[in-house]
Amino acid sequence: MMRYIKLVNFEINRFSKIYLSLLLITLVSQFVGVFMVTKDFLDGAKETMSDEKLSEAAFVTTYGGIDFTHIANTLWFLGPIALSAVALIFYIFLIWYRDWFGKNTFIYRLLMLPTSRLSIYLSKATAIFLMVLGLIAFQIIILPMENALFNSNVPEAFLNMEMSTSTIAAANRVLMLIIPSTFTQFLLSYGSGLMIMSILFTAIMFERSFRIKGIVMGLVYCGIAAVLFLAPVFIMDSGIFHFYSKELFGLLLTLGIIVTGLSVWLGSWLLKNRVTV
């Protein structure tokens, strides 16, 4: 267990500089976005009111006010979230291929460690999942601060409403995905993420085991896993059978667990029996 924890810590430390950079980019970009969007709105409002001789109330009636969704839908806000998502998706591949193609071919030393290769597999998956949760936790922490700054910068007359953190998350599709409002949504969002990561890990193990043939085998496996998981949805769309929402959730949850378990088992088996040093 201690070796597994050390491996997780080791993997997180290897990505720490980039990870901290992603956090800093998110912090700076989103706070700058709050300043820029509110400043542009207020400057535009003052100019319009001056040109058309409108009061604040008349301006809001004619042109509408502003709320935090105007911030949350901008590139300032969503850009760093997308950048972090792309970086972590890329890292799913880098976390393995860096060990093979680095200067010292580190994978040889890693696979020779006196520990189960399953621990190596799980430590990499755990490191990525913890970094995902860390980014989400960071967003949850800074979102109320950004909202408070927004509310303090905008005069009450121009505010459509003062929004809570949960209201902001519910009004934005991206935030609704990464900050689920219910436990069911949490299982769907992050369970699906874990499943996709395990499928990609297995595809990588196919490629590392069989090289060119492994690429084809990995792609085929990804297709089979996707079809298996989405089978209930395909059945409903075809009109063959109808599932109630709870039944559909139960089926997707069960199939997700099966696909994830199968992917972890197959990936670790390939790492143990087919990937050699």
Side-chain angles (χ1 to χ4, degrees):
M1 186 65 178
M2 286 304 298
R3 286 173 180 165
Y4 163 73
I5 294 174
K6 288 180 179 178
L7 284 170
V8 173
N9 183 62
F10 172 73
E11 293 293 351
I12 291 175
N13 287 336
R14 295 174 84 187
F15 193 63
S16 59
K17 291 182 180 179
I18 298 175
Y19 188 67
L20 291 174
S21 298
L22 291 174
L23 295 178
L24 182 60
I25 290 170
T26 300
L27 179 70
V28 173
S29 178
Q30 291 188 354
F31 272 95
V32 169
V34 172
F35 280 111
M36 294 298 293
V37 174
T38 54
K39 182 178 182 301
D40 288 346
F41 175 83
L42 293 176
D43 288 348
K46 289 178 182 178
E47 183 177 349
T48 301
M49 287 188 296
S50 175
D51 292 342
E52 300 183 14
K53 303 297 186 294
L54 297 175
S55 65
E56 292 179 345
F59 174 85
V60 172
T61 300
T62 304
Y63 296 100
I66 187 173
D67 53 53
F68 197 85
T69 59
H70 290 77
I71 308 290
N73 290 321
T74 64
L75 188 61
W76 289 106
F77 191 89
L78 297 178
I81 295 176
L83 177 64
S84 298
V86 170
L88 288 174
I89 292 171
F90 176 73
Y91 194 61
I92 290 176
F93 297 91
L94 182 63
I95 201 171
W96 287 106
Y97 286 111
R98 176 180 53 186
D99 293 339
W100 263 282
F101 299 113
K103 291 182 179 179
N104 300 316
T105 319
F106 185 73
I107 191 66
Y108 296 134
R109 288 195 297 167
L110 193 61
L111 295 179
M112 292 296 288
L113 288 174
T115 186
S116 166
R117 291 190 180 184
L118 177 61
S119 296
I120 297 172
Y121 181 99
L122 293 178
S123 67
K124 292 180 181 292
T126 302
I128 292 175
F129 190 64
L130 288 176
M131 285 187 281
V132 170
L133 293 181
L135 285 168
I136 302 309
F138 185 70
Q139 183 65 76
I140 293 174
I141 290 170
I142 66 174
L143 185 57
M145 301 178 189
E146 294 163 353
N147 191 30
L149 178 63
F150 169 79
N151 289 330
S152 66
N153 283 349
V154 179
E156 188 175 350
F158 292 104
L159 277 176
N160 287 334
M161 66 174 73
E162 289 194 16
M163 305 177 72
S164 65
T165 303
S166 58
T167 305
I168 295 170
N172 184 279
R173 290 185 178 181
V174 175
L175 289 178
M176 187 167 57
L177 180 65
I178 66 175
I179 309 176
S181 59
T182 66
F183 183 66
T184 299
Q185 291 176 339
F186 175 84
L187 287 178
L188 285 175
S189 295
Y190 292 96
S192 298
L194 273 174
M195 180 187 67
I196 292 171
M197 180 174 62
S198 67
I199 292 171
L200 291 177
F201 269 23
T202 302
I204 293 169
M205 290 301 101
F206 271 118
E207 188 278 328
R208 287 291 82 198
S209 299
F210 304 101
R211 299 303 190 266
I212 299 300
K213 292 181 180 178
I215 296 176
V216 177
M217 295 170 70
L219 291 173
V220 170
Y221 179 76
C222 289
I224 292 173
V227 170
L228 177 60
F229 175 68
L230 296 174
V233 178
F234 295 147
I235 291 172
M236 282 190 63
D237 288 343
S238 65
I240 297 174
F241 197 82
H242 176 75
F243 299 107
Y244 292 106
S245 57
K246 289 184 178 179
E247 293 174 334
L248 182 61
F249 171 74
L251 284 171
L252 291 176
L253 180 61
T254 302
L255 289 171
I257 293 172
I258 292 172
V259 171
T260 302
L262 177 62
S263 298
V264 170
W265 173 82
L266 183 54
S268 61
W269 184 88
L270 289 169
L271 183 62
K272 179 181 178 181
N273 296 287
R274 301 296 305 188
V275 177
T276 62
V277 295

